[in-house]
Amino acid sequence: QVQLVESGGGQVQAGESLRLSCAASGSIFAINTMGWYRTAPGKQRELVAVILSSGDTNYANSVKGRFTISRENAKNTVYLQMNSLKPEDTAVYFCFIYSGGTTWGQGTQVTVSS
């Protein structure tokens, strides 16, 4: 069984930065895709960023140029560096990995005030 533990959420002012981390543990084989979703009240769930085992990345248009996803395979960890945060980035952020099946993190709250 695979478990994901997220950290790094919090409350910041607009324009500030946060770094989210998500570490996988358990019976892990080859991790293919790692990424982050977010959900905000009244909004649809949004795929924020993904990173493949090749290192290729993809971002939601709303975060391009501000967010950077990276992974540290030796630690089975994925990161999301979030710069120039905006109030509309306020959401619960969930990490996920795909390794034969999809596993989700517990979610971490990010609140950006203006």
Side-chain angles (χ1 to χ4, degrees):
Q1 187 174 1
V2 179
Q3 293 182 329
L4 301 182
V5 177
E6 302 178 22
S7 61
Q11 183 167 354
V12 296
Q13 297 285 325
E16 294 182 341
S17 299
L18 281 174
R19 188 192 195 206
L20 305 183
S21 300
C22 174
S25 62
S27 301
I28 301 171
F29 297 97
I31 298 177
N32 186 344
T33 302
M34 308 179 83
W36 297 86
Y37 272 92
R38 67 185 180 185
T39 59
K43 296 183 180 180
Q44 288 189 328
R45 185 179 66 170
E46 181 180 28
L47 178 59
V48 177
V50 295
I51 182 166
L52 306 182
S53 56
S54 63
D56 289 341
T57 59
N58 197 16
Y59 297 91
N61 288 333
S62 58
V63 306
K64 280 181 181 177
R66 300 187 297 121
F67 290 12
T68 303
I69 189 170
S70 60
R71 59 193 286 172
E72 192 169 356
N73 291 329
K75 295 184 177 181
N76 293 320
T77 298
V78 61
Y79 305 97
L80 186 67
Q81 178 66 43
M82 305 185 293
N83 298 330
S84 301
L85 282 161
K86 303 176 180 180
E88 50 263 44
D89 294 318
T90 295
V92 178
Y93 286 71
F94 296 87
C95 69
F96 70 93
I97 66 170
Y98 180 75
S99 178
T102 304
T103 301
W104 293 91
Q106 80 281 6
T108 185
Q109 177 70 47
V110 172
T111 302
V112 184
S113 55
S114 57

